[in-house]
Amino acid sequence: MAANTYDMIVIGAGPGGYVAAIRGAQLGLNVAIVEREHLGGICLNWGCIPTKALLRSAEVFQLMQRAGEFGLSAGKVGFDLAAVVKRSRGVAAQLSGGIGHLMKKNKVTVVMGEATLIAADRVKVAGAGKTRELSAKSIVIATGARARELPGLEADGDLVWTYKHALEPPRMPKRLLVIGSGAIGIEFASFFNTLGADTTVVEVMDRVLPVEDAEISKLAKKAFTKQGMKIREKSTVTRLERGAGVVTAHIEKGGKTETLEFDTVISAVGIVGNSEGLGLETIGVTVDRTHIVVDEHCRTNVPGVYAIGDIAGAPWLAHKASHEGVTVAEAIAGGQPHPVRPESIAGCTYCHPQVASVGYSEARARELGFDVKVGRFPFIGNGKAIALGEAEGLIKTVFDAKTGELLGAHMIGAEVTELIQGYVVGRTLETTEAELMNTVFPHPTLSEMMHESVLDAYGRVIHM
Ligand SMILES: Cc1cc2nc3c(=O)[nH]c(=O)nc-3n(C[C@H](O)[C@H](O)[C@H](O)COP(=O)(O)OP(=O)(O)OC[C@H]3O[C@@H](n4cnc5c(N)ncnc54)[C@H](O)[C@@H]3O)c2cc1C
């Protein structure tokens, strides 16, 4: 077996891996990337992109039902789930194919197959009935993660689904149970509920979207409940009894157990890292509960071996993975990139209404000892929101009262997943309230609410 030698080998072609490969190639490195399934990883094939395509169909469906409000008529509004899913799969395939072109354009060698580390500078790849060895001084592990399976709640693809099954559903659920109200669970709950499934969400924590600011979780619950979703907080699904076309869920709350029947269950109880079978123990890489332990520069404890993206721990987001890909490639090429600051990475949930945030929640900022100033601005006070027919929502900002630093921003409402980036740029530039207040926001836009929320924190709000 001849070993092909590169400057950098990347294992896994998700957003972390393919971005690392492109950035490395831009910097003149000879790069190989190994992928066992699809270019684009979970993000393009089974995560971010196909879910957004499904949610767009749900959004259009919901708007069509409201046609009368806009002076329009839309006849009999309906949907064909197979066609909705076909569109989503088509969008995923288009983008995954695009990654192949980007690899070619950047002269990155793509090796399809399963990679195993056999030394800190050597990788064995098994694929298409062949085994090859590649070597490089620097190896970047970007193998991502998969759905966590809890004992007794394992997916079977028929009655109980993971996100993969839910993206290619065998039928439209009538009575749906979603276990877990993080971003993935809530996005599927929102999609199927909008299409008419009788949807129940069970969350073990005391509120839905538990990583968000408590005020935003409360507004999200109110909106979901208004749309007909049943939300059960501080509750645990302890058992699923599977029958013919029916699942009986045992749901425990405060020591009492209730049983409810569903025809479909989506388990969205988190993820586990793809760390097994990689040879990590052979080369001595430290792993903590399926995630590779790294420092702020994504270095593992083994010199020359890096880990990025979902395999390297939270936050489990594509833009965190790809940004780490850039920084690792720059470090390998001899640069000195800035470490990624987790508190400046925005989190977005594309349910209806959308939710987005960056930085500390109000409670977390107080816990950390900050004296805070809080601003709020509701969508009902914004002309564009009313014109769009999207007058429900809130933008909340949290400032350090002493320095004026923007500590956090929390939003719920139409298009907030696009708006949040304004505050992300602000945080990266270490903006204070003064610059935000002196910035001129275009009118009429939803972004004006971002201005008003800051003004509110300092007693200067105009339209409220
Ligand atoms: C349903 C869903 C919706 C999501 N929505 C969003 C969203 O809206 N926004 C967001 O930011 N994030 C979202 N995410 C999370 C996002 O998909 C991940 O954070 C992102 O894909 C992580 O990128 P990665 O490069 O670390 O790994 P991945 O995208 O998981 O890619 C890892 C790749 O490594 C390959 N691989 C693994 N082991 C080997 C091996 N031994 N040899 C060769 N190849 C290997 C895998 O086949 C895979 O292609 C979503 C996730 C899911 C499941």
Side-chain angles (χ1 to χ4, degrees), residues 309-320:
D310 282 5
I311 187 69
W316 296 291
L317 294 167
H319 41 290
K320 177 254 193 191

Side-chain angles (χ1 to χ4, degrees), residues 10-18 34-52 111 113-116 125 141-147 163-164 167 183-184 187-188 271 274 276-278 308-312 315-322 346 348-350:
V10 182
I11 306 177
Y18 80 71
V34 187
E35 170 56 51
R36 68 181 176 191
E37 198 181 354
H38 305 284
L39 297 180
I42 292 297
C43 169
L44 267 53
N45 296 286
W46 298 107
C48 319
I49 298 297
T51 49
K52 269 59 291 168
V111 182
E114 177 100 26
T116 312
V125 184
I141 304 172
T143 51
R146 61 183 185 278
Y163 60 81
K164 274 203 176 181
L167 278 163
I184 294 176
E187 287 187 3
F188 282 114
I271 58 154
N274 292 324
E276 59 284 277
L278 263 178
I308 59 173
D310 282 5
I311 187 69
W316 296 291
L317 294 167
H319 41 290
K320 177 254 193 191
S322 53
C348 297
T349 306
Y350 300 76

Side-chain angles (χ1 to χ4, degrees), residues 255-280:
K256 288 200 186 112
T257 300
E258 195 182 347
T259 54
L260 290 175
E261 287 191 350
F262 301 91
D263 59 58
T264 309
V265 178
I266 297 176
S267 173
V269 292
I271 58 154
V272 291
N274 292 324
S275 53
E276 59 284 277
L278 263 178
L280 298 177

Side-chain angles (χ1 to χ4, degrees), residues 372-430:
V372 300
K373 271 191 188 294
V374 176
R376 293 179 184 82
F377 195 83
F379 273 53
I380 190 72
N382 176 266
K384 178 77 180 286
I386 295 171
L388 290 177
E390 298 288 351
E392 274 181 36
L394 179 79
I395 297 197
K396 173 173 176 179
T397 43
V398 182
F399 289 90
D400 178 349
K402 285 201 189 84
T403 64
E405 184 190 351
L406 175 65
L407 296 174
H410 309 277
M411 308 179 169
I412 179 165
E415 301 304 336
V416 296
T417 58
E418 295 291 338
L419 296 181
I420 194 70
Q421 187 59 12
Y423 287 136
V424 175
V425 172
R427 276 185 61 80
T428 305
L429 299 177
E430 297 180 6

Side-chain angles (χ1 to χ4, degrees), residues 293-315:
V293 177
V294 292
D295 68 9
E296 57 175 7
H297 295 286
C298 300
R299 291 178 294 216
T300 70
N301 59 313
V302 176
V305 179
Y306 300 77
I308 59 173
D310 282 5
I311 187 69

